[in-house]
Amino acid sequence: MTTSIKLFILFSISISLSHFGIDEAMAGRLLLNAPFHLPSIPNLPFPSFPGIPALYYVAWDFNIKDWPSGKTFHAGDIIVFNYNRNLHNVVTINETRYEEYLNCVVSDKAKVLSTGNDAIILQNGVNYFICGTMGHCTAGMQIAIVTT
């Protein structure tokens, strides 16, 4: 079964579970980690395993820089950025452009996402994300996620 079909099935079931009072984040964790014991503390980072993508939700706002701390990420994991699209966006920066990430530069080659609910599949290596709204990145809206 291809990854896109697996993701479609997981998202479809996740949305269905939300009709029964289970929020999408919990539904995603239940589906992706069903054979494992689930901790009782909500929003605890769940381990991801090679070949089985983990689903992470990010409340994309100021002071988010430390969000990846304590989490283990793998290439293929999915990060969903939730934010007010009238205030923010998500800019993906290539791993080779660390200086742009460090200096909060949005180049012409950067991919800018602005739906307010953007799902991004992590690539192998370092994945850089910043907010491209003027002044937001320098105020702490940037994260670097390293995959193992």
Side-chain angles (χ1 to χ4, degrees):
M1 189 180 304
T2 66
T3 302
S4 60
I5 293 172
K6 288 179 188 175
L7 290 175
F8 174 77
I9 291 169
L10 288 174
F11 284 119
S12 299
I13 295 171
S14 175
I15 291 168
S16 298
L17 287 174
S18 67
H19 292 295
F20 294 101
I22 299 174
D23 67 271
E24 289 180 18
M26 180 58 75
R29 290 192 296 264
L30 287 171
L31 292 169
L32 290 173
N33 297 294
F36 307 100
H37 171 70
L38 297 174
S40 60
I41 302 170
N43 296 321
L44 193 75
F46 285 85
S48 59
F49 302 94
I52 303 174
L55 182 63
Y56 295 91
Y57 287 85
V58 179
W60 188 233
D61 210 342
F62 297 101
N63 300 314
I64 192 78
K65 197 170 189 171
D66 293 329
W67 179 83
S69 297
K71 297 175 181 73
T72 301
F73 300 95
H74 297 283
D77 286 352
I78 301 164
I79 306 296
V80 179
F81 290 88
N82 293 305
Y83 57 93
N84 181 334
R85 67 187 203 137
N86 295 317
L87 299 175
H88 306 298
N89 59 28
V90 177
V91 179
T92 62
I93 297 178
N94 186 295
E95 179 178 18
T96 61
R97 299 184 178 273
Y98 173 72
E99 292 296 321
E100 291 177 10
Y101 167 77
L102 189 64
N103 297 310
C104 298
V105 174
V106 179
S107 74
D108 294 337
K109 297 179 184 199
K111 183 176 179 182
V112 180
L113 307 167
S114 58
T115 68
N117 191 31
D118 303 313
I120 298 171
I121 298 174
L122 294 178
Q123 303 302 310
N124 191 35
V126 184
N127 297 259
Y128 296 113
F129 305 99
I130 65 171
C131 181
T133 303
M134 186 175 289
H136 290 200
C137 176
T138 55
M141 283 189 75
Q142 64 177 173
I143 58 173
I145 298 176
V146 179
T147 60
T148 57

